[in-house]
């Protein structure tokens, strides 16, 4: 619960939306920072600190169990917290309290595999965004507020020059694949640029990111490749409008950044299977590659491209809006 957290600030929006449908909402969070919530939202911190596993578990269970026993909530919703769910779910199962976990990640963590036996259900964005399959899994889309993203209509002079990627600088994001694909594309289109916005999220990822930055330092000197630190989530919608195309190579769950870029009207060059299922590829081949997607986007007329981008924005509004997400989630939790 921190508006200034670069990765998780959107959780405040999720809490506040749910608060519109319930008399009281109690939040147990790992960290409290700057946030603004309505009077019926009550926030408690477990002071979760990386590296203190046993102390974290004991402190969290102490707070959570006291709350569950004293308040007897009608349901519990764990938001991308598979570890805490694994700790608490056996107790909520014994107490007969419905407990749902939001999990939108394709990695089948050991905590998820344990927790799935105890939770009432696992909620995710798309069916393929969760490694667990079966009747317990419920897909309700991403939670994006369309009002935060102005749709930028393409002009008749649109050109595919300035590329951007926003997301964690982690190995799973396949940043080097993005760079190499645009290096190849650049042979026929020498005027393009690529801006990579994001920072690594772990010590191992920090080492990986440093290696890539060093490997491509000549491209940075040439001026076409730029590495930038993360930006606050509140600035993402405005930042995206500065570019012509969002490029992305993560092959796991449906990244929120993909939906955000689609909301503002950017064409997306990606090999992400969940995005391709939702919106379709630009290229016609059976095997989608970044280079083929780039060539297909570049070959579209401004009129056809603009029409398709508008249709994709409407899909986002219907399937991935915060209103749709909160309504679907409220129905499940009530």
């Amino acid at each position: 619960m921190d508006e200034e957290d670069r990765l998780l600030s959107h959780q405040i929006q999720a809490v506040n939306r749910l608060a519109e449908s319930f008399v009281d909402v109690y939040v147990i969070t790992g960290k409290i920072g700057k946030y603004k919530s309505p009077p019926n939202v009550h926030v408690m911190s477990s002071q979760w600190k990386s590296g203190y596993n046993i102390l974290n578990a004991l402190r969290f269970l102490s707070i959570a169990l006291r709350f569950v026993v004293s308040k007897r909530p009608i349901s519990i919703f764990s938001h991308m917290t598979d570890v805490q769910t694994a700790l608490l779910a056996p107790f909520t199962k014994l107490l007969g309290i419905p407990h749902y976990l939001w999990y939108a990640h394709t990695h089948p963590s050991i905590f998820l595999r344990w927790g799935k036996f105890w939770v009432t259900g696992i909620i995710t964005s798309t069916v393929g965004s969760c490694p667990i399959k079966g009747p317990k899994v419920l897909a309700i889309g991403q939670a994006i507020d369309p009002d935060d993203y102005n749709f930028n209509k393409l002009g008749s002079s649109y050109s595919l020059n300035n590329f951007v990627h926003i997301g964690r600088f982690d190995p799973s994001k396949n940043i080097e694949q993005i760079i190499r694909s645009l290096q190849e594309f650049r042979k026929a289109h020498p005027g393009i640029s690529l801006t990579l916005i994001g920072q690594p999220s772990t010590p191992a990822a920090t080492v990986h990111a440093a290696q890539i930055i060093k490997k491509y330092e000549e491209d940075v000197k040439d001026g076409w490749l730029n590495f930038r630190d993360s930006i606050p989530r509140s600035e993402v919608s405005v930042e995206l409008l500065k570019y012509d195309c969002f490029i992305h190579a993560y092959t796991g769950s449906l990244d929120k950044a993909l939906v955000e870029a689609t909301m503002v009207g950017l064409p997306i060059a990606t090999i992400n299977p969940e995005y391709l299922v939702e919106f379709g590829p630009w290229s016609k081949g059976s095997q989608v590659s970044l280079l083929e997607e780039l060539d297909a986007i570049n070959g579209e007329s401004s009129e056809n491209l603009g029409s398709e981008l508008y249709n994709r924005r409407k899909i986002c509004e219907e399937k991935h809006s915060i209103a749709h997400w909160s309504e679907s989630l409220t129905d499940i939790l009530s």
Side-chain angles (χ1 to χ4, degrees):
M1 293 290 285
D2 186 359
E3 293 175 1
E4 297 177 351
D5 190 292
R6 294 181 184 272
L7 292 177
L8 302 175
S9 59
H10 63 282
Q11 294 190 339
I12 297 170
Q13 184 184 49
V15 168
N16 291 348
R17 278 286 183 155
L18 286 174
E20 297 174 4
S21 302
F22 296 92
V23 175
D24 285 294
V25 171
Y26 293 85
V27 180
I28 301 175
T29 182
K31 183 184 73 172
I32 294 177
K34 179 183 177 184
Y35 73 94
K36 185 177 181 181
S37 291
N40 65 328
V41 172
H42 316 279
V43 182
M44 301 164 278
S45 176
S46 67
Q47 300 177 48
W48 197 279
K49 297 178 181 178
S50 179
Y52 296 87
N53 295 345
I54 296 177
L55 183 60
N56 285 335
L58 292 174
R59 187 186 293 118
F60 169 75
L61 280 176
S62 174
I63 294 172
L65 288 176
R66 276 185 292 169
F67 162 74
V68 168
V69 171
S70 63
K71 294 295 183 180
R72 290 284 177 151
I74 63 169
S75 60
I76 293 174
F77 176 56
S78 297
H79 196 195
M80 206 61 193
T81 49
D82 55 331
V83 175
Q84 291 85 344
T85 298
L87 292 169
L88 183 60
F91 296 99
T92 55
K93 178 78 169 180
L94 290 173
L95 292 169
I97 298 173
H99 189 165
Y100 295 88
L101 167 66
W102 169 270
Y103 195 87
H105 198 294
T106 54
H107 173 63
S109 77
I110 187 173
F111 303 105
L112 175 66
R113 294 199 297 268
W114 166 255
K116 73 176 182 180
F117 294 110
W118 304 100
V119 295
T120 310
I122 299 170
I123 307 172
T124 189
S125 54
T126 61
V127 173
S129 292
C130 179
I132 302 297
K133 309 301 178 186
K136 274 192 175 183
V137 179
L138 307 167
I140 63 171
Q142 285 280 10
I144 307 292
D145 190 344
D147 293 338
D148 292 338
Y149 299 85
N150 294 323
F151 183 77
N152 187 32
K153 294 182 179 179
L154 296 185
S156 57
S157 60
Y158 170 81
S159 57
L160 196 63
N161 294 322
N162 302 314
F163 294 82
V164 67
H165 176 271
I166 299 178
R168 298 189 307 277
F169 202 149
D170 290 355
S172 64
K173 299 300 182 179
N174 298 317
I175 300 298
E176 187 169 14
Q177 184 177 355
I178 292 173
I179 297 172
R180 290 169 63 183
S181 295
L182 280 178
Q183 279 181 327
E184 187 66 25
F185 187 73
R186 188 167 174 258
K187 292 177 181 179
H189 310 278
I192 68 168
S193 67
L194 169 62
T195 301
L196 297 159
I197 302 174
Q199 292 169 266
S201 62
T202 66
T206 300
V207 173
H208 170 79
Q211 291 171 342
I212 290 180
I213 292 171
K214 181 174 178 58
K215 182 176 181 179
Y216 294 97
E217 59 185 0
E218 289 301 319
D219 295 89
V220 174
K221 290 178 182 178
D222 286 345
W224 81 273
L225 178 61
N226 305 285
F227 294 98
R228 288 178 50 192
D229 288 342
S230 300
I231 60 175
R233 181 164 291 276
S234 59
E235 297 177 10
V236 168
S237 60
V238 175
E239 183 66 27
L240 286 170
L241 294 172
K242 300 175 183 178
Y243 302 93
D244 303 319
C245 182
F246 190 96
I247 187 165
H248 175 273
Y250 176 58
T251 57
S253 58
L254 179 65
D255 267 353
K256 180 169 280 191
L258 287 172
V259 182
E260 291 173 325
T262 304
M263 281 283 195
V264 304
L266 280 185
I268 310 290
T270 185
I271 54 174
N272 181 264
E274 292 306 295
Y275 187 86
L276 296 175
V277 167
E278 290 282 293
F279 300 95
W282 296 97
S283 57
K284 306 302 181 184
S286 57
Q287 294 293 324
V288 176
S289 72
L290 277 182
L291 193 57
E292 288 173 338
E293 288 293 280
L294 291 168
D295 287 336
I297 294 170
N298 191 59
E300 289 282 355
S301 68
S302 295
E303 183 179 0
N304 290 342
L305 191 61
S307 176
E308 176 61 21
L309 294 175
Y310 178 75
N311 290 337
R312 293 184 178 205
R313 161 81 185 209
K314 300 304 292 183
I315 293 173
C316 286
E317 292 176 351
E318 293 169 5
K319 293 186 176 182
H320 299 286
S321 69
I322 184 70
H324 176 268
W325 184 88
S326 58
E327 182 179 343
S328 300
L329 184 55
T330 297
D331 289 342
I332 294 169
L333 299 179
S334 298

